[in-house]
Amino acid sequence: MVTVRVPATTANIGPGFDTFGCALALYNTLTFEETPSGYIFIGCDEAYQNEENLAVVAYRKVMDAMGLPMPGLSVTIRADIPVCRGLGSSAAMIAAGASAANALHGSPYTPLELLGICNDIEGHPDNLAPALLGGLVTSYVDDGIPVAVRYALHPELRFTALIPDFELSTHLARSALPKQVPFADAVFNVSRAAVLLKALETGDRAIIARSLQDRLHQPFRGKLIAGYEEVRDMALSCGCTAFCISGAGPTLLCLSFGEAFEQEMAKHMEELPGRWRMLPMAVDHTGVQVV
């Protein structure tokens, strides 16, 4: 039996579409026990109680990589990461299953190797890489092999999630994106992404505010999020340094320094259209852990 704890993640982070990701201190905790056959799930919606559960899929991937037969599993899940909200709930399940299989069979793989084994489940590593490695990670896939690099973050930088009471499927959010973008928009994103990474390390608020902009996905996905403009305007008026969509949405992410923004924003949450909750989150610097 093994228990693993996996952090939530935010991906894209403005201009870093399908590339930037950061692990956040909100967790799913899963306990795995191998059984002779079949699957038993505790703490999981009935729709996910089958062999297509992402934790099981990832567990099988690692067993296959080790050349071992897939056992039955008993899986107990405590899920604090909201589903379909742009906070990496799918990546958390994949990281959990992969890490559990690895831990129960002698830990032959590093977290980066687990990323290589399981990345094709989602197809892009922007959430899975920070879930496994922790911290701020940039990643891409080269000829089927994921490459991931960790970056430093200024210690006073704060992440605050504004989470609505509705879901947004990643499939729908991705289908809203154009098949082609103007060359100028591609240059816009590349230049800001490069500058943003250094600004997040040094804590340069002015550069963060100017660089956390995007032309590849947010203008299209924002239209799918009810209240997007009102929430953005309110957050900026309350003093957040910069604002972006978390992953594919609908969670919206505020970057700030100190507690002043959160204190001011808390006074105005009831003024927002619909029902939103505010969740300040520290950065998780360790990634998935066996506990």
Side-chain angles (χ1 to χ4, degrees), residues 76-283:
T76 300
I77 303 170
R78 176 184 169 182
D80 293 327
I81 304 171
V83 176
C84 292
R85 295 297 202 285
L87 288 170
S89 60
S90 296
M93 298 300 285
I94 295 169
S99 299
N102 190 49
L104 282 172
H105 294 276
S107 299
Y109 300 117
T110 66
L112 191 59
E113 289 170 332
L114 291 177
L115 177 64
I117 293 169
C118 294
N119 183 66
D120 64 350
I121 298 174
E122 282 201 307
H124 45 90
D126 52 343
N127 283 109
L128 186 56
L132 288 167
L133 300 172
L136 174 64
V137 182
T138 66
S139 56
Y140 63 90
V141 178
D142 183 14
D143 197 22
I145 300 174
V147 177
V149 177
R150 295 187 70 197
Y151 282 82
L153 284 166
H154 193 277
E156 295 179 11
L157 182 65
R158 300 170 72 92
F159 291 83
T160 305
L162 302 175
I163 307 171
D165 65 351
F166 55 86
E167 298 181 359
L168 177 60
S169 76
T170 301
H171 175 74
L172 176 61
R174 192 162 286 272
S175 68
L177 303 180
K179 301 299 182 185
Q180 295 181 323
V181 297
F183 188 83
D185 289 349
V187 173
F188 180 97
N189 268 56
V190 169
S191 59
R192 280 150 183 81
V195 172
L196 177 62
L197 288 171
K198 189 64 176 179
L200 291 173
E201 177 187 347
T202 62
D204 190 315
R205 304 183 191 192
I207 293 181
I208 291 172
R210 291 196 296 268
S211 298
L212 201 79
Q213 300 179 44
D214 159 79
R215 292 182 181 176
L216 299 185
H217 70 105
Q218 294 190 140
F220 312 100
R221 289 173 166 172
K223 298 175 183 177
L224 302 177
I225 302 172
Y228 171 77
E229 293 183 356
E230 293 90 339
V231 176
R232 178 197 61 201
D233 294 346
M234 180 67 76
L236 293 173
S237 70
C238 288
C240 81
T241 299
F243 178 94
C244 64
I245 297 173
S246 181
T251 292
L252 304 175
L253 193 68
C254 303
L255 279 65
S256 63
F257 293 81
E259 299 179 2
F261 160 69
E262 292 162 7
Q263 293 172 353
E264 186 63 23
M265 189 69 189
K267 301 175 185 177
H268 298 280
M269 291 298 295
E270 293 185 359
E271 300 173 24
L272 298 176
R275 298 178 60 185
W276 295 76
R277 65 184 175 110
M278 183 173 69
L279 185 61
M281 288 182 286
V283 175

Side-chain angles (χ1 to χ4, degrees), residues 28-31 41-44 48 53 55 75-79 93:
N28 282 359
T29 303
L30 291 84
T31 298
F41 295 90
I42 300 172
C44 176
Y48 302 109
N53 183 293
V75 186
T76 300
I77 303 170
R78 176 184 169 182
M93 298 300 285

Side-chain angles (χ1 to χ4, degrees), residues 15-83:
F17 178 65
D18 274 4
T19 301
F20 293 0
C22 187
L24 302 172
L26 177 70
Y27 301 95
N28 282 359
T29 303
L30 291 84
T31 298
F32 295 79
E33 184 175 8
E34 294 189 352
T35 63
S37 62
Y39 301 107
I40 300 171
F41 295 90
I42 300 172
C44 176
D45 288 346
E46 186 175 353
Y48 302 109
Q49 295 183 19
N50 52 60
E51 64 181 8
E52 299 305 315
N53 183 293
L54 290 175
V56 173
V57 172
Y59 200 104
R60 185 183 300 111
K61 276 272 190 181
V62 174
M63 295 296 289
D64 289 346
M66 290 187 288
L68 298 175
M70 180 65 181
L73 285 176
S74 174
V75 186
T76 300
I77 303 170
R78 176 184 169 182
D80 293 327
I81 304 171
V83 176

